Amino acid sequence: MSKKILNSIQNIPAKFIGTSSTMAIDSISIDSRSLQNGPKTLFFALVGANTDAHLYLKNLIASGVQNFVVTHIPEDCEGKANFYVVTNTLLALQQFAAAYRSLFDFPIIGLTGSNGKTIVKEWLNFLLSPDYNVIRSPKSYNSQIGVPLSVIAINEKHNLGIFEAGISTVSEMEKLEKIIKPTIGILTNIGTAHDEGFADISDKIKEKLKLFQDVQVIIYHKNPTIDLLIRPDTAVFCWSYNDAKASVLITKKGVLDKTVLTVLQNNNKFDIKIPFQDEASIENAISCLMVLLYFKYDDRTIQNRMELLYPVEMRLKVKNGINNSSIIDDSYSSDFQSLKIALDFLESQKQYKKKTVILSDIFQSGLPNDVLYSKVAELIVSNRITRVIGIGETISAFKNKFANCSTFQNTAAFVADFENLDFGNETILIKGARSFQFEEIVYLLEEKTHETVLEINLNAISYNLNFFKSKLLPKVKIMVMVKAFGYGNGGLEIAKLLEHHKVDYLGVAFADEGISLKNGGINLPIMVLNPENTSFSAIIQHQLEPEIYCLKGLYAFLKIAKQKNLKHFPIHIKFDTGMHRLGFEENTLDELIAALRGNSTVQIKSILSHLATSDDLEHMDFAHSQINLFEKVSSKLMSELQIKPLRHILNTSGISNFLDSQYDMVRLGIGLYGVSNDAQEQKQLENVGTLKSVISQIRTIAAGESVGYGRRFVAEKPTKIATIPIGYADGISRGWGDGLGFVMVKNTKAYIVGSICMDMLMVDVTGIECKEGDSILIFGENPTVSFIAQKLNTIPYEILTSISQRVKRVFYR
């Protein structure tokens, strides 16, 4: 962000309503939840299918924000702030960014393609940063919203930009081109991602090439289809393994764990080594090589820098730490924009009041160090960070800008003093540039467990939540079920994310689940669906809200409520409309009304029931009979008691199949975790959980030798067997063994042989190039939990909730 921002505001076609159009602005925001919003923020109130930021303007004004871009001014905000009124706030954000971009004149590299954009961007930043002050997209900010936010981060000190652009359908790229205005274009690998948004591969390439309509050159892997679609008047700089017409010819050869690339450009021929052997990494590295060649770097510099390329970690990970702490691992980058993102993520995932940031020197901000660390200190204050640990010579020199700050000259000094530092009962953000090797710090702070992990994609949870919210009618609230440890995925961490997304209610099965969430800092209302009478006192103590489903339970709760002199304590009344599991039956309605009439100790917050066949269209008549009975009994209860509580009967399948019965609230369960009973809907959900492990040992057995208990597998020929450290105590069904189930090793099916043991299983890896320590996939994208459930004649719920608590959960974005 630069002082030129004020010039850009004037380029938005907007009607100004307010008191001062010249107020200082130094940041842009679209997230009402960010603690970084303040008096110098310009807030764009975006409107989406599921959210409308205008609903939160009153709270933002109360927190100090004074400048807004809106489609309308909410009644309770008139005269209280400055408003730029537009017809479309997303378009206004894009116009603002395009106007801001036009104020700068230096080379901009624009990246697009199906795969590899973020990796190429990060590698180019590494390769070029010794010579340029680079501004780049933070993380994977390549969308219609992410691109303008990335470009707005430019300031006067930058002299090279690297921005990625991602699209999913036609007519999107021209909007991004106006914002990025690249001078150099890079087309990375074209794959199958988002194929559904285009007529064919040519249609997809044609749309992506719109990013490059005004570039000086396009860099790409030479391909006949692409060649035909590039305008004849556009300069190209292309490479190939075998086409002599390419600008650069490349041959490759594997040597140990590296790849040697022989580069031939004109008459110049030289070799470089890169530390990868997989084809995707090789292609991404060649894209970077081409940029260095285009920038006319000498052979020696290219050789030295390319050999230092490294795996790019594109995810923020949440891990369990030592001494009851939680770690957010962002240990591979340290720049100002990504710090802001990481701090917002910390706020959405914090489990403890105490928040620590371990931060290295920050590079490539484009700001003088004094200004930079003043801004960092402001971020630390606005995000209410308890403690800062700075590592690096520069941040150490500005230690006085931070409260409660200790510093170390380098990572080695921190490690040497680690035993004297106190960590525990806190959330720790670890944020460092790669050169500081903060992975050593992560290792010290991470709780040590075995090598099987369940990775939870928090972006996928957010996506699935928004997918189902898009199906809701206006003003319908949403309760999300986080019972059974979040369907096996991790209750507290997911609850934190849901609270960040401002869902209306959380649902748990038993009181101890709700107490755990409350103790973890969750403030959302939590309904306990199956409370036992003995848990009522604990429910009251922790401000949980019980579902009352029978007269015995009602009388027991009313008795305790009276003893404790409660007033209007929230309860939820459940009716049995045909599930015949829990709930008041119709013939008890009169006694229920009599017990509640005039009783001021409790307040009915909602009336609910549960559909037995919401996922089975063959039983639609039965489902409608349940809905009709629910309407009858709930209406009578409301009429007799003269109350207007929330009503809800739909679960995940019901949200999709009974749109006209949403009432006041719906309950989202398994759908949040990426599972649907409808095949078409399943295609639109994102996978949330990926269960991974490693190969502990590999051996080759002779024909006639057996594997595992009971000799259930006997080799018919020499067979290579890999042992995986996961078994039925971790939640893998024994029925999945003995040749039925498989794991994925190097993207190849390796079938489970013999009986699954308590802590291990064995697979046949004959013909698969693998070694001890290699990662394997148990479920995720392939096989899915739905596939495994089908083969085992069960349901996905059972597969997910069976995963043991001893399996470490790693949460990432």
Side-chain angles (χ1 to χ4, degrees):
M1 181 67 64
S2 140
K3 62 186 179 182
K4 297 179 179 179
I5 185 172
L6 291 174
N7 300 330
S8 302
I9 297 176
Q10 310 309 320
N11 287 278
I12 302 177
K15 179 181 179 182
F16 178 78
I17 301 175
T19 57
S20 174
S21 61
T22 59
M23 289 186 67
I25 294 169
D26 68 2
S27 67
I28 299 297
S29 177
I30 61 168
D31 188 351
S32 63
R33 301 160 299 193
S34 176
L35 295 180
Q36 296 159 30
N37 296 322
K40 295 183 180 181
T41 299
L42 176 63
F43 186 87
F44 284 77
L46 300 186
V47 180
N50 315 305
T51 57
D52 183 350
H54 293 81
L55 299 174
Y56 309 114
L57 298 196
K58 182 179 179 181
N59 292 338
L60 285 165
I61 293 171
S63 68
V65 181
Q66 281 294 293
N67 300 283
F68 298 88
V69 179
V70 298
T71 59
H72 64 278
I73 303 174
E75 288 184 10
D76 52 2
C77 297
E78 292 175 351
K80 297 180 180 179
N82 300 316
F83 298 95
Y84 295 87
V85 183
V86 299
T87 55
N88 183 313
T89 48
L90 173 57
L91 178 61
L93 175 64
Q94 294 170 337
Q95 291 170 332
F96 174 89
Y100 186 72
R101 161 70 180 93
S102 70
L103 301 175
F104 299 90
D105 184 20
F106 53 76
I108 297 285
I109 297 173
L111 283 153
T112 191
S114 303
N115 307 299
K117 298 184 292 294
T118 302
I119 292 173
V120 172
K121 177 199 68 186
E122 292 300 320
W123 282 351
L124 283 176
N125 175 65
F126 167 75
L127 294 166
L128 297 172
S129 58
D131 312 302
Y132 295 91
N133 196 346
V134 181
I135 175 68
R136 70 193 192 281
S137 312
K139 300 297 179 184
S140 296
Y141 270 41
N142 59 27
S143 67
Q144 299 291 311
I145 296 173
V147 167
L149 293 177
S150 300
V151 167
I152 290 167
I154 298 173
N155 66 45
E156 286 88 346
K157 299 296 182 180
H158 294 123
N159 55 14
L160 178 68
I162 309 173
F163 299 107
E164 52 178 301
I167 57 171
S168 57
T169 188
V170 296
S171 303
E172 290 184 343
M173 189 60 86
E174 51 257 53
K175 298 174 184 176
L176 302 185
E177 190 277 335
K178 292 176 182 177
I179 301 168
I180 298 174
K181 279 296 176 187
T183 56
I184 298 166
I186 301 177
L187 186 65
T188 63
N189 176 272
I190 299 293
T192 58
H194 300 297
D195 271 359
E196 65 277 6
F198 305 94
D200 52 37
I201 190 68
S202 293
D203 190 41
K204 177 193 280 190
I205 295 171
K206 193 181 302 181
E207 181 70 19
K208 290 184 179 294
L209 288 174
K210 290 179 181 178
L211 179 64
F212 307 140
Q213 63 183 31
D214 290 325
V215 296
Q216 299 165 4
V217 65
I218 299 177
I219 296 172
Y220 70 104
H221 186 177
K222 188 170 176 57
N223 172 291
T225 304
I226 298 173
D227 292 342
L228 289 172
L229 295 173
I230 294 176
R231 290 202 323 256
D233 61 338
T234 303
V236 300
F237 189 53
C238 55
W239 65 274
S240 177
Y241 291 125
N242 48 37
D243 190 335
K245 294 181 180 179
S247 312
V248 178
L249 273 176
I250 292 176
T251 57
K252 59 181 178 177
K253 179 177 65 175
V255 178
L256 298 177
D257 59 344
K258 295 180 171 60
T259 299
V260 175
L261 300 178
T262 300
V263 183
L264 176 61
Q265 182 188 12
N266 300 326
N267 294 319
N268 184 31
K269 187 175 183 179
F270 63 99
D271 291 343
I272 62 171
K273 283 183 183 177
I274 56 175
F276 309 101
Q277 287 198 325
D278 63 287
E279 191 57 42
S281 295
I282 292 170
E283 278 207 28
N284 292 334
I286 293 173
S287 292
C288 297
L289 163 69
M290 293 294 288
V291 174
L292 296 181
L293 291 172
Y294 181 76
F295 280 22
K296 301 191 184 305
Y297 278 81
D298 62 82
D299 300 354
R300 179 60 60 87
T301 300
I302 293 175
Q303 289 168 331
N304 291 341
R305 293 188 186 179
M306 292 290 291
E307 193 167 3
L308 296 176
L309 291 180
Y310 52 89
V312 173
E313 182 56 72
M314 294 183 290
R315 310 180 304 186
L316 283 162
K317 293 181 179 178
V318 182
K319 304 175 179 178
N320 290 331
I322 60 173
N323 303 328
N324 196 35
S325 64
S326 178
I327 297 170
I328 298 175
D329 179 3
D330 194 16
S331 55
Y332 290 94
S333 68
S334 182
D335 59 85
F336 188 68
Q337 287 303 109
S338 65
L339 175 61
K340 294 171 72 174
I341 295 169
L343 287 171
D344 274 340
F345 182 63
L346 166 62
E347 187 59 27
S348 74
Q349 279 298 301
K350 72 176 193 300
Q351 295 185 23
Y352 308 94
K353 290 182 178 180
K354 185 178 178 183
K355 296 183 287 185
T356 293
V357 173
I358 301 176
L359 182 65
S360 77
D361 289 347
I362 294 175
F363 300 133
Q364 297 173 289
S365 69
L367 299 170
N369 282 334
D370 186 64
V371 175
L372 168 63
Y373 287 99
S374 293
K375 286 183 170 290
V376 173
E378 289 175 7
L379 285 181
I380 295 298
V381 171
S382 64
N383 281 272
R384 301 166 193 157
I385 302 303
T386 313
R387 171 174 61 157
V388 175
I389 297 175
I391 299 179
E393 294 180 2
T394 307
I395 196 170
S396 295
F398 292 94
K399 175 182 179 179
N400 63 335
K401 291 188 178 291
F402 304 94
N404 194 19
C405 177
S406 56
T407 59
F408 299 87
Q409 291 293 302
N410 50 50
T411 303
F414 173 90
V415 172
D417 199 40
F418 181 75
E419 291 187 1
N420 297 318
L421 299 172
D422 181 28
F423 293 99
N425 300 303
E426 60 189 310
T427 303
I428 307 166
L429 170 62
I430 302 174
K431 184 96 178 98
R434 179 170 176 78
S435 59
F436 283 85
Q437 298 180 316
F438 269 18
E439 58 268 26
E440 295 182 36
I441 296 176
V442 174
Y443 177 78
L444 288 173
L445 287 169
E446 188 176 5
E447 182 182 50
K448 306 303 182 287
T449 58
H450 65 311
E451 295 170 292
T452 298
V453 297
L454 180 62
E455 295 185 344
I456 311 299
N457 185 340
L458 296 174
N459 289 73
I461 287 179
S462 297
Y463 173 88
N464 295 337
L465 173 66
N466 287 329
F467 172 80
F468 284 101
K469 285 174 71 174
S470 70
K471 295 174 176 282
L472 302 184
L473 298 172
K475 298 184 179 180
V476 173
K477 298 181 183 296
I478 188 165
M479 174 186 289
V480 180
M481 310 308 298
V482 289
K483 60 182 181 177
F485 192 55
Y487 290 70
N489 292 287
L492 179 57
E493 293 81 3
I494 291 173
K496 285 286 184 184
L497 181 64
L498 296 172
E499 187 166 58
H500 191 64
H501 281 295
K502 299 185 178 180
V503 302
D504 301 287
Y505 259 93
L506 297 179
V508 298
F510 298 104
D512 57 351
E513 295 175 319
I515 292 170
S516 177
L517 295 180
K518 288 292 187 181
N519 288 340
I522 297 298
N523 294 312
L524 285 174
I526 300 173
M527 187 174 91
V528 182
L529 280 79
N530 307 325
E532 298 159 325
N533 290 6
T534 54
S535 69
F536 284 157
S537 292
I539 285 174
I540 293 168
Q541 178 186 347
H542 291 89
Q543 294 296 298
L544 303 174
E545 301 181 15
E547 172 192 283
I548 304 297
Y549 51 81
C550 65
L551 289 167
K552 180 182 177 181
L554 175 62
Y555 292 137
F557 190 83
L558 290 176
K559 180 180 179 181
I560 293 176
K562 185 176 181 180
Q563 290 171 351
K564 294 180 178 292
N565 296 315
L566 299 181
K567 292 292 182 183
H568 307 298
F569 193 91
I571 64 171
H572 303 259
I573 298 297
K574 183 172 187 179
F575 282 105
D576 177 12
T577 56
M579 183 78 166
H580 296 331
R581 192 172 61 177
L582 291 175
F584 289 95
E585 294 181 295
E586 185 179 10
N587 59 14
T588 63
L589 181 56
D590 289 339
E591 190 173 349
L592 170 65
I593 292 169
L596 290 170
R597 182 178 278 122
N599 195 314
S600 62
T601 57
V602 296
Q603 176 188 8
I604 300 176
K605 292 298 291 290
S606 81
I607 305 172
L608 67 147
S609 188
H610 194 69
L611 296 180
T613 60
S614 63
D615 60 342
D616 190 344
L617 299 183
E618 292 184 5
H619 294 284
M620 290 285 281
D621 289 344
F622 183 78
H624 281 298
S625 72
Q626 282 194 265
I627 293 169
N628 291 337
L629 179 55
F630 178 66
E631 173 67 29
K632 178 182 177 182
V633 294
S634 62
S635 294
K636 182 176 180 180
L637 182 64
M638 292 164 62
S639 174
E640 292 286 340
L641 297 179
Q642 296 185 347
I643 56 174
K644 288 188 177 180
L646 300 172
R647 290 191 288 178
H648 48 110
I649 192 172
L650 299 185
N651 56 4
T652 295
S653 299
I655 294 171
S656 300
N657 294 332
F658 298 91
L659 297 177
D660 57 347
S661 300
Q662 293 180 1
Y663 285 98
D664 306 294
M665 187 161 68
V666 298
R667 302 188 300 272
L668 177 61
I670 194 73
L672 181 76
Y673 307 99
V675 178
S676 172
N677 292 300
D678 181 84
Q680 293 305 311
E681 186 172 81
Q682 182 66 61
K683 294 177 182 178
Q684 300 179 68
L685 299 178
E686 291 190 359
N687 179 67
V688 169
T690 300
L691 183 59
K692 293 180 176 180
S693 192
V694 298
I695 296 175
S696 296
Q697 189 175 36
I698 296 177
R699 73 184 75 242
T700 299
I701 63 173
E705 292 189 301
S706 62
V707 174
Y709 289 116
R711 304 195 72 209
R712 293 176 66 186
F713 173 82
V714 178
E716 297 178 355
K717 58 184 179 180
T719 304
K720 188 163 70 169
I721 299 295
T723 300
I724 315 297
I726 185 171
Y728 59 76
D730 300 292
I732 307 300
S733 170
R734 290 185 80 247
W736 190 231
D738 202 23
L740 173 65
F742 59 88
V743 302
M744 298 298 291
V745 180
K746 299 290 186 181
N747 295 317
T748 304
K749 290 181 181 179
Y751 280 89
I752 300 170
V753 296
S755 299
I756 291 176
C757 308
M758 180 180 289
D759 311 299
M760 288 170 278
L761 58 83
M762 288 69 73
V763 297
D764 182 353
V765 293
T766 307
I768 302 175
E769 288 294 326
C770 58
K771 61 184 182 299
E772 293 172 359
D774 281 351
S775 176
I776 64 101
L777 186 146
I778 297 157
F779 66 64
E781 296 285 356
N782 178 32
T784 64
V785 291
S786 296
F787 176 85
I788 295 174
Q790 181 185 20
K791 292 295 183 181
L792 291 175
N793 195 30
T794 185
I795 55 176
Y797 296 75
E798 183 175 348
I799 305 300
L800 285 173
T801 57
S802 295
I803 302 304
S804 165
Q805 295 295 298
R806 76 177 187 176
V807 173
K808 180 172 68 174
R809 271 68 173 173
V810 173
F811 301 85
Y812 70 90
R813 261 186 179 163

